Amino acid sequence: MSAPPVTLAPEAIPTQLVDRFGRTVRDLRISVTDRCNLRCTYCMPEHGLQWLPSPQLLSAAEIARLARLAVERLGVERIRLTGGEPLLRRDLEEIVAAVSTLRTRRTGTKPDIGLTTNGLGLDKRAAGLRAAGLDRVNVSIDALAPEQYAAVTRRDRLEDVLRGVAGAQAAGLDPIKVNAVALPADLAERAPQLLAQCLRRRWRLRFIEHMPLGPRGSWRAEDVVDAAHVLDVLKRAGFSLTPLGRPDRRPAALWEVAAGVGPDGQEYPAGQVGVIASVTAPFCTDCDRTRLTADGRLLTCLFSSTETDLRGPMRAGADDEELIRIWAAATWAKPRAHGSDDPQAGDSGFTLPARTMSAIGG
Ligand code: SAM
Ligand code: SF4
């Protein structure tokens, strides 16, 4: 009697993105372009940055396909579109609409869709983006005095940005979060003014510690304004702050701000302020993020020196399962913390990635 044929069990196809340290990815940041219409000093050099040639950028359909795998096959629940400046993509509404047709595995609802933008042109796009399914926006505003804003962004565009945020608010995008990098210049004046104005407009302000992700040589550990210093500046300006911790172990530590009178003598209502201490207190142990660059490379960490190509296999005809395996294998190898697995990490403990923040997608 001949032996029954041996059937090999098919290799299991991953159903989530987990790493060696037990973290599970729930949050995908997709950079949709490396281009930008500002030149923030902490992010881009003034001149000389080469843009990716258009054929190298993922198309809207390619982004939609990878987002579908992430959400419907791999357990991702939040998608954030970023860049470069994502509003420079004319098909951003199409991308948002495609992502909003997806259904998360856990709740069967659409993923939470956020946009990180500098706000330029947002007034004209906000209603369309909201109709396409966008839930929230984070707008980067480092100063509310035009000359200070221009000094940081190298462009005199503050008025346009404020028009953009007003448009987002009018379109019902809520909450509006404002990101400000904690830079030393004029901090004692800039930070209290920003906070008072954001409280009045009901925008949620978060200061971010300056990370070494801008032009090479533009960052020095000794210049980093840490979270404690930002809080000290705010307290000295008269803000009464009560710590709320890091709700849901998200990157921002929050403080409740009591109502008061701002540096301009005008009242502000009670609200909150956040500080993201990505340099002095990195949240790597709670990290549930992964990143996709505009040219289709996976980065498991902002500071990763390893990139995993998804665009090449996708354009060579890889099926969904092959892409899922590549994605899961890259995630498994995610480093424990910034630069921690890299012998080249400098004294700061950071490995410097090959790309600047604008090309990674913040
Ligand atoms: N252009 C959009 C914007 O400015 O919001 C999206 C891309 S930008 C790279 C995303 C976020 O990264 C912004 O909030 C920006 O302030 C932040 N960022 C850029 N370079 C940074 C750095 N070196 N350290 C900390 N945050 C940085
Ligand atoms: Fe452009 Fe955003 Fe970078 Fe500023 S932070 S240069 S707006 S990508």
Side-chain angles (χ1 to χ4, degrees):
M1 216 169 76
S2 61
V6 177
T7 47
L8 293 172
E11 198 189 324
I13 296 166
T15 55
Q16 51 183 359
L17 295 170
V18 285
D19 68 32
R20 297 166 290 160
F21 305 100
R23 295 167 297 186
T24 305
V25 170
R26 298 270 177 243
D27 183 314
L28 169 63
R29 304 192 160 225
I30 305 176
S31 171
V32 295
T33 179
D34 60 327
R35 295 175 188 230
C36 191
N37 38 14
L38 297 182
R39 292 290 181 279
C40 304
T41 51
Y42 49 73
C43 179
M44 278 192 175
E46 185 165 14
H47 305 290
L49 204 61
Q50 299 283 316
W51 305 131
L52 289 165
S54 301
Q56 290 190 17
L57 296 185
L58 293 183
S59 66
E62 287 171 329
I63 292 173
R65 179 176 178 198
L66 294 176
R68 174 175 59 76
L69 296 184
V71 172
E72 298 196 336
R73 303 282 302 268
L74 290 165
V76 162
E77 299 184 343
R78 297 183 299 276
I79 301 248
R80 178 159 291 275
L81 301 169
T82 179
E85 177 43 48
L87 291 173
L88 291 181
R89 263 198 83 147
R90 295 210 190 105
D91 55 2
L92 189 63
E93 289 78 356
E94 193 188 321
I95 294 170
V96 172
V99 174
S100 84
T101 64
L102 304 175
R103 293 295 170 260
T104 61
R105 281 218 318 256
R106 201 166 53 89
T107 59
T109 53
K110 98 175 179 41
D112 186 89
I113 309 175
L115 175 72
T116 303
T117 171
N118 62 26
L120 287 172
L122 186 56
D123 43 326
K124 297 182 199 77
R125 310 274 297 272
L129 287 165
R130 177 142 163 77
L134 183 68
D135 293 297
R136 58 191 75 244
V137 283
N138 287 21
V139 186
S140 303
I141 310 177
D142 295 300
L144 282 166
E147 64 289 355
Q148 287 171 358
Y149 182 85
V152 176
T153 62
R154 301 191 181 103
R155 299 287 186 273
D156 184 12
R157 303 293 303 272
L158 180 62
E159 247 182 63
D160 301 328
V161 170
L162 295 179
R163 195 173 328 113
V165 194
Q169 217 157 9
L173 289 163
D174 182 50
I176 291 193
K177 291 187 183 165
V178 169
N179 293 347
V181 177
L183 300 169
D186 311 310
L187 189 75
E189 187 190 341
R190 231 168 12 96
Q193 189 185 23
L194 259 172
L195 180 54
Q197 293 277 16
C198 287
L199 290 168
R200 284 177 200 136
R201 297 169 195 211
R202 310 258 172 221
W203 301 342
R204 297 195 196 165
L205 175 63
R206 292 124 33 102
F207 290 97
I208 309 172
E209 286 179 352
H210 183 193
M211 295 179 278
L213 291 168
R216 280 290 153 93
S218 65
W219 185 91
R220 295 190 319 163
E222 55 271 33
D223 294 339
V224 171
V225 177
D226 62 23
H229 187 86
V230 173
L231 294 166
D232 195 45
V233 162
L234 295 175
K235 284 179 190 157
R236 273 193 272 133
F239 290 93
S240 164
L241 306 175
T242 310
L244 296 172
R246 272 177 53 210
D248 301 327
R249 303 168 90 184
R250 311 289 304 152
L254 300 181
W255 276 261
E256 198 171 286
V257 188
V261 175
D264 53 3
Q266 307 280 318
E267 291 182 355
Y268 54 79
Q272 286 182 0
V273 64
V275 184
I276 303 182
S278 13
V279 176
T280 58
F283 33 87
C284 304
T285 43
D286 296 327
C287 179
D288 66 352
R289 298 179 172 183
T290 198
R291 292 183 151 79
L292 187 61
T293 64
D295 55 347
R297 304 306 205 253
L298 284 172
L299 283 177
T300 55
C301 169
L302 256 184
F303 291 93
S304 178
S305 48
T306 309
E307 300 185 349
T308 304
D309 185 21
L310 281 182
R311 189 197 64 199
M314 187 161 52
R315 291 189 181 171
D319 64 14
D320 286 355
E321 285 66 33
E322 257 174 281
L323 296 174
I324 284 173
R325 283 202 181 92
I326 295 171
W327 205 329
T331 307
W332 184 253
K334 174 170 167 146
R336 186 177 56 77
H338 296 166
S340 63
D341 293 352
D342 192 326
Q344 290 174 8
D347 293 343
S348 62
F350 290 105
T351 322
L352 300 187
R355 302 173 189 242
T356 58
M357 187 69 143
S358 59
I360 296 170

